[in-house]
């Protein structure tokens, strides 16, 4: 089941904050976040595991709400370099079947 | 270190022709994934391998698509015969179990 991302698109001015949500109708084992710039390959940002802590790196962080089967990606004090499409990939179960299902993405545009 | 290498980067061919996409994963990675990306459907998992063995091919659209991994350093995705609706960007990714997936630069396929 494909996770649902919201919003589909967001436009910011440099320095503003944004939140991107990823929701699943099924119980999740982990959530992976990737960013893809136009014409390039997706690049890994972070993984959140069931029962794990909120993760973050500088001004980009994420959380995983197991009760709601939802993950949120937080971008604070956005920079021009944050522009791109953000994808969440969800894993339903642990074990050797390491398979991600990606949402349709959220297009983030940061303007000067 | 070399990343995931895909070839060709671009392929334009006529409907009905056989298309072969190639992928060299990162050395040491035991998972290999083939994805297709379109505007309408987003990033879809077609098939993935673990230790060169196909684990889940439920995403392969139809019998015209086939994938092989004859050894740990090479995989192919074939489409025969190709159709215009197969036009998309095809990504190969590799990883260790439950670790970030590293994507290749993709093959942009156009079927005329």
């Amino acid at each position: 089941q494909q996770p649902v991302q919201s919003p589909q698109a967001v436009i910011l001015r440099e320095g503003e904050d944004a939140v991107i949500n990823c929701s699943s109708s099924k119980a999740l084992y982990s959530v992976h976040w990737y960013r893809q710039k136009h014409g390039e390959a997706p690049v890994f940002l972070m993984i959140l595991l069931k029962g794990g802590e909120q993760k973050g790196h500088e001004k980009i962080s994420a959380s995983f709400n197991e009760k709601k089967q939802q993950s949120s990606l937080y971008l604070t004090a956005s920079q021009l370099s944050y522009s791109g499409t953000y994808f969440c990939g969800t894993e339903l179960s642990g074990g050797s079947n390491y398979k991600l299902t990606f949402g349709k993405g959220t297009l983030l545009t940061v303007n000067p | 270190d070399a990343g995931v290498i895909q070839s060709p980067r671009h392929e334009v061919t006529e409907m009905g022709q056989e298309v072969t996409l190639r992928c060299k994963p990162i050395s040491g990675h035991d998972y290999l994934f083939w994805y297709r990306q379109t505007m309408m459907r987003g990033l879809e998992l077609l098939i993935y391998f673990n230790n060169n063995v196909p684990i889940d091919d439920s995403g392969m659209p139809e019998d015209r698509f086939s994938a092989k991994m004859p050894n740990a350093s090479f995989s192919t995705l074939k489409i025969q015969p190709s159709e215009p609706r197969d036009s998309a960007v095809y990504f190969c990714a590799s990883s260790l179990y439950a670790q970030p997936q590293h994507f290749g630069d993709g093959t942009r396929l156009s079927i005329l």
Side-chain angles (χ1 to χ4, degrees):
Chain A
Q1 297 291 346
Q2 187 175 42
V4 177
Q5 288 188 233
S6 63
Q8 289 185 310
V10 59
I11 300 175
L12 303 173
R13 289 205 177 273
E14 208 172 359
E16 293 181 337
D17 302 341
V19 180
I20 299 171
N21 297 306
C22 174
S23 297
S24 172
S25 59
K26 298 204 168 187
L28 299 177
Y29 180 78
S30 69
V31 179
H32 302 227
W33 285 97
Y34 289 76
R35 177 172 62 206
Q36 183 179 30
K37 293 187 178 288
H38 183 67
E40 299 181 6
V43 174
F44 170 77
L45 293 175
M46 63 187 75
I47 297 174
L48 295 104
L49 297 175
K50 182 173 125 177
E53 299 176 351
Q54 179 167 336
K55 291 209 169 179
H57 177 66
E58 295 185 349
K59 297 175 182 176
I60 299 178
S61 62
S63 63
F64 181 14
N65 186 323
E66 292 176 44
K67 285 186 178 179
K68 292 185 178 181
Q69 300 307 325
Q70 178 177 307
S71 178
S72 296
L73 186 71
Y74 307 93
L75 301 103
T76 58
S78 59
Q79 305 169 12
L80 296 176
S81 62
Y82 286 4
S83 292
T85 301
Y86 289 78
F87 294 95
C88 67
T90 54
E91 182 185 12
L92 296 184
S93 62
S96 62
N97 290 336
Y98 178 34
K99 170 181 174 178
L100 296 182
T101 303
F102 283 92
K104 289 193 173 180
T106 296
L107 178 61
L108 178 73
T109 303
V110 181
N111 292 320
Chain B
D1 289 342
V4 175
I5 300 172
Q6 290 187 245
S7 63
R9 290 294 310 277
H10 303 273
E11 175 89 13
V12 180
T13 191
E14 293 189 345
M15 181 174 65
Q17 297 296 306
E18 177 178 293
V19 173
T20 300
L21 310 182
R22 297 172 175 81
C23 176
K24 177 179 170 56
I26 293 173
S27 177
H29 283 186
D30 53 358
Y31 281 83
L32 183 138
F33 308 86
W34 281 101
Y35 292 93
R36 178 172 69 177
Q37 186 173 40
T38 61
M39 288 295 293
M40 289 295 294
R41 301 172 71 94
L43 196 59
E44 301 174 274
L45 177 65
L46 300 177
I47 185 172
Y48 78 96
F49 296 82
N50 178 216
N51 291 321
N52 312 337
V53 177
I55 302 299
D56 186 339
D57 65 355
S58 60
M60 296 286 260
E62 46 197 279
D63 292 346
R64 297 185 298 105
F65 286 70
S66 63
K68 293 182 179 179
M69 192 165 185
N71 56 61
S73 58
F74 184 66
S75 177
T76 60
L77 179 67
K78 283 189 179 181
I79 308 173
Q80 168 62 22
S82 57
E83 297 183 3
R85 58 192 168 119
D86 301 331
S87 297
V89 180
Y90 290 81
F91 286 105
C92 174
S94 72
S95 75
L96 296 170
Y97 170 66
Q99 295 300 305
Q101 295 184 15
H102 297 260
F103 285 75
D105 288 334
T107 296
R108 187 172 296 275
L109 178 64
S110 295
I111 309 296
L112 306 177

